[in-house]
Amino acid sequence: MRAVRTALLLAVLFLILFPIAWMALTAFKRPVDLLGLSLFFTPTLDNFRTIFSHPWNIGRTLWNSTVVAALTVLIAIPAATLAAYSFSRFEMRFKTGLFFLILATQFVPAVVVVLPFYLLFRDLGLLDTHWALVIVNLAIVTPFAVWMLKGFLDAVPAESEEAALVDGATRLRVIIDIVVPMVWPGVVVTTVFCFVLTWNEFLFALILTRDDAVTLPVGITRFRTERGDLWELIAAAGILISIPMFFLSSIIQRHFVTGMTGGAVK
Amino acid sequence: MAAIDLHDLTKAWGNFTAVKRQSLAIRDGEFMVLLGPSGCGKTTTMRMIAGLEEPTSGDILIGGQRVNDLAPRERDIAMVFQSYGLYPHMTVADNIGYPMKLRGMGRAEREAAVRAAADKVELGAFLHRKPRELSGGQRQRVALARAIIRRPRAFLMDEPLSNLDAKLRVSTRAEIKHLQHELGVTTVYVTHDQIEAMTLAHRVAVMQGGEIRQLGTPEDIYDQPADLFVAGFIGSPAMNLLAGEIQDGRFTAPGGIAVAVRVAHRGAAVLGIRPEDLRVLPPGQGDVAAAIYTVELTGEATLVTADVGGARLSARADRGFRAGIGSAIGLALDTSRLSIFDPGTTLRIKDAP
Amino acid sequence: MRDRTLKYLLLVPAAVLVLGTTLWPLAVSFTTSFRDWRLTRSVTPGPFIGFEHYITAATDDPEFLNALTVTATFVLIDVTLTLVCALGLALLLRRAGVLQSLTRAVLILPFAVSPALVGISFRFMFNAEMGVFTWLAGAVFPPLQGVVWLGDRSAALLVLVFSDAWRWVPYMTLVVLGGLAALPREPEEAARMDGAREWQVLRDVTLPALLPVLAIVGILKTVFALKMFDQVVTLTGGGPGSSTVTLAYLVYSIAFRWYDMGYASAVAWILTAMLMGLAVWYTRLVLRKPDA
């Protein structure tokens, strides 16, 4: 039994890590080394130099991804925090209905959201801009953030807030002085989760950007040229996209689960 | 400092009524304990006084002023919570000083006030710690200091000792009593622990099912419980309650119990007598013959449970008392300390004049 | 300000965002789905034509029928595979051990990779000439030598499933592990004391208690599988032929290759309707727990 388990786990580890490792290796290969599937080759940094220089200019794409993801969470998280607090602390009419609405929005296919926005942005001349991407990404991120933050707020006991109310604070003061500091780790986790979600978003960027505002996931598809697929460059760019996300998701690993399942599983 | 008056106070959530048309006049400077089992409405009553819960109907007056429409911060009261309600991200000093900061007190003046309040609860050495670095007892002191720094019109305490271990509970209880006496601030204290109620209160309101069943001094509720609920709830071990009937001034129950009573009532009745009012005697003596069901040594006394005609009676015997299970004894009732209840209304029947 | 007013005011910013970014486009594409509107002919919305697009989809569009079949096949294989693997892996990882903690630590990595990148990487690794998986499959299992994975209709769909499972199975394993960790130990221990063997404990005690979590995993995976898009673009491009064209990809093609906004909106709404059905079911599951 023990041997079977060990073998299975080793196979799982291999399946998870091998594709990542292979892309990492490829990123340091010269094109001639690609065909041989060799593990032994002379590593080179040329691919990284190439993607940062003309005509690829991946630096620009990197910047676009950063700006779009940062603006999206900057708008979504404060709004979501207030809403989540209201949901968590107060009874209200239609609460279940509002919940359903928030929960159901993550079931809406992105492709149905993007059609009207494509037409609107085309008319407004906003196609291929950061703001266009930020606005549609808010559609994905806001409900997630509300749902996640509500979970974190539910876990914070109300007593400290009530103490502050009795001590003489107004409700808004309580939110700023007491609630936000207490739920801060949850805010950070939610922000990171939403940042990762936006960073990896593909469909919106594919449809709404062309040159100026292209983000990394779409950017890597540009290495598939008429001259063929430049795999070593794709791999180099892929490593560039993934490293920060590996880092971010590892620090909040436990909470990643809470995010997607809306707190149903903790 | 101020009196607190509740008039016909009611709180309902949908079909569930937590507090039913409750009226209570708490005197200025009084230590009032709301005592009852969980779910009796005592915490809800306190939270309505604090303004954390909106009454469904009825009025709350503090110092003669109707405060129903005031926010908690406008009521000038301080509250100590069961789990302390501290601000985990602030130091002890900031926790204690927060109410004064909200009132716009300057830094220097505030530091002095914090120090004075902290010294009063012996926390002076911990001002720069965070709550998580303190023990449970120390946290509770922070909550107390935060309450007394303000000299509010009233203190509200919601089971403040229930998260402390047994030993600490006793010493903190004494400190709370001393502090309240020293400051003279009207205090409402919620607990399910009858010992706390007995030791702390000027008056106790015993609550059940959203209603006050008895309001009185600790002596009143212990010696003259107003109904069967209070009789069974107060005292440990509980008051013995025997069902029987009264004919011609004598209470009789199965097992040969027959005692003279001083009530005018006739017919079915419940007799209540506390364990310490039953004396354990050798067989053949006393009012009733009984057999020992079990004997438990509690330290300061021996608790005897005896079988009398199928009913079990607890009696508190001398701590030197020893007897085997099943052996015969006699029991004597202190007839000056009997309580008689009407089984229909559950109310106490008063002695005839 | 009284809480009575404040509690609604606090909702306003988020409500504006959700209304503006989700409900508005939903409403617009709903009305558009009843219009004849091709961008090649007109930049402004065309006339209303009733249910014509929906009727076309249902009766007279082999492309739609194909996408429906592809999506259904994909969902079926993908969801089953994910559920079985995630459950099995979670049970394996439940016990303590060096290998177990190592595996648990890397479970989050695939989910952090952009789906688009997953697709393009798998395209590389299943490349007929220099694909490392192509070589590996042939080496481990000789009959698979020489299979052109992305050139074969069924094989391409399987590679698509594989790429999606690679990203989702580890994540869903984390979800199941979370569910397992939340289970009280006593019932299992009691069953063992009562004389149950390990597989009986699993069948009679653990799995029934885990069912709500598995239901959530199943529904969520179904939702994401139904919306499958990114990897279709970067891994198969819908091909070979149209053997991997999912509904979401079909909407994209209709809208941005043929510029038929009306019909694209109608197909998009058919997909949305299916997902809303799942949303109702899911919400019931999640909101069933009493609100504290």
Side-chain angles (χ1 to χ4, degrees):
Chain A
M1 255 333 264
R2 197 186 164 81
V4 175
R5 274 203 299 271
T6 308
L8 275 172
L9 282 175
L10 284 174
V12 167
L13 270 173
F14 174 81
L15 277 174
I16 292 176
L17 292 178
F18 181 73
I20 298 172
W22 190 253
M23 291 312 277
L25 281 180
T26 307
F28 295 97
K29 282 181 177 177
R30 287 170 299 153
V32 290
D33 293 322
L34 289 183
L35 207 52
L37 298 176
S38 171
L39 286 171
F40 304 100
F41 57 93
T42 324
T44 169
L45 285 174
D46 282 354
N47 299 327
F48 292 94
R49 273 185 216 112
T50 311
I51 60 175
F52 274 101
S53 50
H54 189 77
W56 308 115
N57 296 324
I58 200 99
R60 168 88 192 156
T61 318
L62 197 63
W63 170 245
N64 289 338
S65 277
T66 313
V67 170
V68 169
L71 282 176
T72 305
V73 297
L74 270 177
I75 297 169
I77 298 296
T81 307
L82 295 181
Y85 179 78
S86 184
F87 276 135
S88 172
R89 289 295 186 265
F90 299 113
E91 282 309 313
M92 60 185 87
R93 240 182 276 197
F94 316 121
K95 191 163 167 177
T96 320
L98 287 169
F99 268 159
F100 172 73
L101 213 64
I102 296 232
L103 211 62
T105 40
Q106 51 170 302
F107 286 68
V108 174
V111 73
V112 72
V113 169
V114 80
L115 292 179
F117 272 116
Y118 172 78
L119 298 165
L120 179 75
F121 292 150
R122 192 196 46 163
D123 294 344
L124 296 176
L126 276 174
L127 282 181
D128 208 14
T129 63
H130 292 154
W131 281 112
L133 281 182
V134 170
I135 289 168
V136 286
N137 274 310
L138 283 172
I140 307 280
V141 162
T142 313
F144 268 130
V146 171
W147 198 243
M148 251 177 118
L149 283 163
K150 183 187 171 287
F152 286 117
L153 280 161
D154 286 346
V156 174
E159 258 191 10
S160 300
E161 290 165 45
E162 293 176 345
L165 286 174
V166 174
D167 278 348
T170 61
R171 186 62 83 164
L172 281 174
R173 190 79 196 256
V174 169
I175 295 178
I176 296 162
D177 280 0
I178 312 293
V179 179
V180 170
M182 282 179 80
V183 80
W184 191 248
V187 174
V188 172
V189 166
T190 310
T191 308
V192 169
F193 184 83
C194 293
F195 191 93
V196 174
L197 224 56
T198 314
W199 180 273
N200 286 339
E201 200 291 320
F202 177 71
L203 187 150
F204 294 147
L206 179 70
I207 291 168
L208 298 177
T209 64
R210 184 142 318 199
D211 300 301
D212 295 344
V214 165
T215 55
L216 285 168
V218 175
I220 47 167
T221 64
R222 299 294 161 89
F223 297 111
R224 296 175 55 187
T225 66
E226 298 88 51
R227 292 181 289 128
D229 300 339
L230 306 174
W231 297 115
E232 70 285 0
L233 299 186
I234 290 173
I239 292 304
L240 210 64
I241 305 180
S242 304
I243 295 285
M245 297 306 108
F246 286 155
F247 178 71
L248 288 177
S249 54
S250 295
I251 53 174
I252 63 160
Q253 161 156 3
R254 203 166 62 76
H255 300 286
F256 239 95
V257 176
T258 322
M260 198 60 87
T261 57
V265 180
K266 291 221 165 79
Chain B
M1 277 164 278
I4 299 172
D5 290 288
L6 311 180
H7 288 306
D8 284 343
L9 199 59
T10 299
K11 177 70 191 185
W13 282 282
N15 290 328
F16 174 70
T17 309
V19 175
K20 291 175 192 157
R21 295 181 62 86
Q22 184 166 298
S23 293
L24 179 63
I26 302 165
R27 299 171 197 137
D28 187 3
E30 183 173 32
F31 200 124
M32 170 68 74
V33 173
L34 305 182
L35 173 68
S38 57
C40 72
K42 57 191 192 297
T43 297
T44 307
T45 303
M46 166 171 286
R47 289 171 61 83
M48 286 193 283
I49 299 174
L52 296 170
E53 217 73 74
E54 252 182 272
T56 308
S57 65
D59 291 325
I60 302 163
L61 284 78
I62 301 179
Q65 175 202 11
R66 187 175 179 274
V67 296
N68 284 44
D69 297 320
L70 296 185
R73 72 194 154 87
E74 297 161 328
R75 298 188 183 196
D76 192 22
I77 41 169
M79 185 158 171
V80 177
F81 291 83
Q82 181 171 11
S83 309
Y84 323 130
L86 299 182
Y87 312 129
H89 55 289
M90 296 186 195
T91 62
V92 168
D94 289 342
N95 262 283
I96 300 173
Y98 188 66
M100 306 324 283
K101 187 179 167 192
L102 289 171
R103 283 167 178 71
M105 186 186 269
R107 175 165 284 277
E109 204 185 338
R110 197 163 77 223
E111 271 169 21
V114 166
R115 178 144 293 279
D119 284 343
K120 200 155 249 162
V121 295
E122 292 157 35
L123 271 176
F126 302 102
L127 285 177
H128 298 288
R129 298 224 188 147
K130 290 275 181 70
R132 65 168 175 278
E133 298 161 336
L134 300 179
S135 69
Q138 289 167 334
R139 289 181 205 184
Q140 193 54 280
R141 286 154 193 276
V142 178
L144 280 173
R146 189 174 61 186
I148 61 177
I149 194 174
R150 278 169 49 197
R151 299 303 170 117
R153 292 200 289 180
F155 287 140
L156 306 179
M157 303 196 185
D158 182 11
E159 308 237 8
L161 303 180
S162 61
N163 282 349
L164 303 182
D165 64 51
K167 214 170 164 184
L168 207 53
R169 209 176 295 166
V170 174
S171 58
T172 314
R173 196 171 74 200
E175 285 165 39
I176 288 178
K177 185 165 189 174
H178 184 84
L179 262 179
Q180 199 271 342
H181 177 77
E182 190 179 310
L183 301 172
V185 176
T186 313
T187 302
V188 184
Y189 186 108
V190 160
T191 185
H192 64 269
D193 184 322
Q194 44 168 317
I195 308 286
E196 281 175 32
M198 300 297 287
T199 51
L200 289 169
H202 294 144
R203 283 194 299 161
V204 180
V206 185
M207 294 184 63
Q208 200 231 348
E211 291 170 311
I212 294 180
R213 307 300 288 264
Q214 186 171 9
L215 174 66
T217 63
E219 293 82 1
D220 286 344
I221 61 162
Y222 192 78
D223 292 339
Q224 311 205 332
D227 63 11
L228 284 171
F229 170 76
V230 179
F233 188 72
I234 305 288
S236 174
M239 180 181 262
N240 295 299
L241 296 170
L242 276 169
E245 66 174 44
I246 295 175
Q247 294 297 343
D248 305 323
R250 280 186 82 74
F251 173 88
T252 54
I257 297 172
V259 284
V261 290
R262 282 175 295 179
V263 295
H265 178 83
R266 303 173 69 90
V270 174
L271 176 130
I273 183 158
R274 295 212 175 269
E276 60 268 31
D277 299 329
L278 274 174
R279 252 184 326 139
V280 180
L281 298 169
Q285 299 182 26
D287 304 309
V288 194
I292 291 190
Y293 179 77
T294 189
V295 176
E296 296 155 287
L297 181 66
T298 61
E300 81 276 13
T302 301
L303 192 61
V304 177
T305 308
D307 189 288
V308 181
R312 284 192 200 133
L313 295 181
S314 305
R316 186 162 291 165
D318 186 75
R319 74 179 187 197
F321 179 84
R322 295 289 182 277
I325 290 178
S327 53
I329 51 165
L331 289 174
L333 287 69
D334 183 343
T335 48
S336 66
R337 293 187 164 276
L338 296 180
S339 293
I340 307 289
F341 301 94
D342 181 332
T345 62
T346 80
L347 294 177
R348 178 190 189 84
I349 300 165
K350 293 206 173 64
D351 287 357
Chain C
M1 191 183 319
R2 297 309 300 264
D3 288 346
R4 234 174 278 174
T5 330
L6 186 72
K7 66 185 178 189
Y8 293 109
L9 278 181
L10 291 173
L11 293 179
V12 169
V16 168
L17 290 182
V18 172
L19 282 173
T21 60
T22 308
L23 296 186
W24 172 77
L26 271 178
V28 171
S29 46
F30 188 66
T31 51
T32 308
S33 74
F34 297 101
R35 288 172 186 274
D36 178 21
W37 185 9
R38 284 169 236 190
L39 284 183
T40 43
R41 289 197 212 137
S42 150
V43 290
T44 49
F48 279 101
I49 51 165
F51 284 90
E52 200 171 296
H53 289 316
Y54 291 95
I55 294 165
T56 309
T59 59
D60 190 29
D61 182 5
E63 290 290 331
F64 176 76
L65 204 64
N66 171 64
L68 203 60
T69 322
V70 167
T71 309
T73 317
F74 177 80
V75 168
L76 196 70
I77 305 175
D78 196 32
V79 173
T80 316
L81 189 73
T82 308
L83 266 175
V84 171
C85 292
L87 177 63
L89 189 51
L91 290 171
L92 260 181
L93 292 177
R94 199 185 181 194
R95 47 183 79 228
V98 180
L99 217 48
Q100 275 85 353
S101 28
L102 191 66
T103 313
R104 271 197 296 265
V106 301
L107 283 179
I108 197 65
L109 294 183
F111 199 69
V113 180
S114 165
L117 177 60
V118 173
I120 212 162
S121 305
F122 274 68
R123 183 181 175 83
F124 172 50
M125 286 181 280
F126 279 98
N127 185 293
E129 292 115 44
M130 50 186 154
V132 67
F133 271 136
T134 312
W135 172 81
L136 210 61
V140 176
F141 206 62
L144 291 178
Q145 259 169 15
V147 172
V148 183
W149 288 94
L150 295 175
D152 179 88
R153 298 178 67 89
S154 323
L157 193 65
L158 285 180
V159 172
L160 197 66
V161 170
F162 182 41
S163 81
D164 198 47
W166 180 77
R167 190 162 174 273
W168 277 100
V169 168
Y171 180 82
M172 288 306 190
T173 305
L174 282 174
V175 176
V176 179
L177 273 173
L180 279 171
L183 294 185
R185 281 279 180 188
E186 282 89 352
E188 292 184 355
E189 285 164 357
R192 276 187 204 116
M193 299 305 291
D194 287 344
R197 293 171 189 285
E198 281 311 301
W199 64 269
Q200 287 168 319
V201 173
L202 183 68
R203 186 197 62 188
D204 298 335
V205 182
T206 316
L207 284 187
L210 203 58
L211 219 52
V213 172
L214 293 179
I216 284 168
V217 168
I219 298 175
L220 274 183
K221 191 65 205 77
T222 309
V223 168
F224 286 99
L226 275 171
K227 297 204 264 188
M228 183 61 169
F229 178 80
D230 298 9
Q231 286 111 303
V232 180
V233 175
T234 60
L235 176 57
T236 64
S242 52
S243 59
T244 54
V245 172
T246 58
L247 279 171
Y249 189 77
L250 180 68
V251 174
Y252 168 75
S253 302
I254 299 170
F256 299 101
R257 294 205 177 145
W258 312 334
Y259 291 103
D260 188 342
M261 291 298 155
Y263 191 46
S265 299
V267 176
W269 256 94
I270 294 172
L271 180 59
T272 306
M274 296 180 198
L275 287 160
M276 284 304 111
L278 283 169
V280 174
W281 186 17
Y282 180 74
T283 318
R284 286 220 185 112
L285 258 178
V286 174
L287 293 184
R288 196 171 48 193
K289 56 174 184 183
D291 264 320

